Amino acid sequence: MEKEPALFSRSIRDNIMLGREKYLKEQGLDIETLIKNACDDAYVSEFLNRLPNKLDYVVGMKGRKLSGGQKQRI
C-alpha cells in the first residue's frame, strides 16, 4: 500500500512552513532563505519556477494540482 503525502489546500510556502513560522521568527531566522534552501535541497526548485505564483501557488485539496513526486518533495 502506497502512502500519499499529506498536503493542505494552501500555498506551497504555507505547506512548507506549517507550524514552524512562529518558532523560526522567535529564533530570528530569515524564513525566506530557509524556504529557498529547503526547496533547493528537496529539488522543489526544479518545478517551482514553472508554476504560476511559484511559492504562492495553491496546491489544491490534498495537493491534487501536483504530481505524486512533487507532493513528496514538498
Side-chain angles (χ1 to χ4, degrees), residues 5-52:
L7 293 179
F8 297 92
S9 184
R10 299 175 74 169
S11 71
I12 291 174
R13 179 190 318 276
D14 289 343
N15 275 282
I16 292 171
M17 291 303 301
L18 200 62
R20 296 175 185 92
E21 191 168 5
K22 181 180 176 185
Y23 170 77
L24 295 172
K25 283 182 180 178
E26 288 172 353
Q27 299 301 310
L29 300 171
D30 180 8
I31 293 174
E32 290 304 312
T33 299
L34 291 173
I35 291 172
K36 181 193 178 308
N37 291 342
C39 288
D40 290 345
D41 290 347
Y43 302 102
V44 171
S45 299
E46 290 180 1
F47 67 86
L48 185 66
N49 292 324
R50 294 190 304 262
L51 295 174

Side-chain angles (χ1 to χ4, degrees), residues 7 12 15-16 42 44 47 59 66 69-74:
L7 293 179
I12 291 174
N15 275 282
I16 292 171
V44 171
F47 67 86
V59 300
L66 302 174
Q70 291 170 330
K71 289 188 260 188
Q72 288 176 338
R73 290 170 190 237
I74 293 172

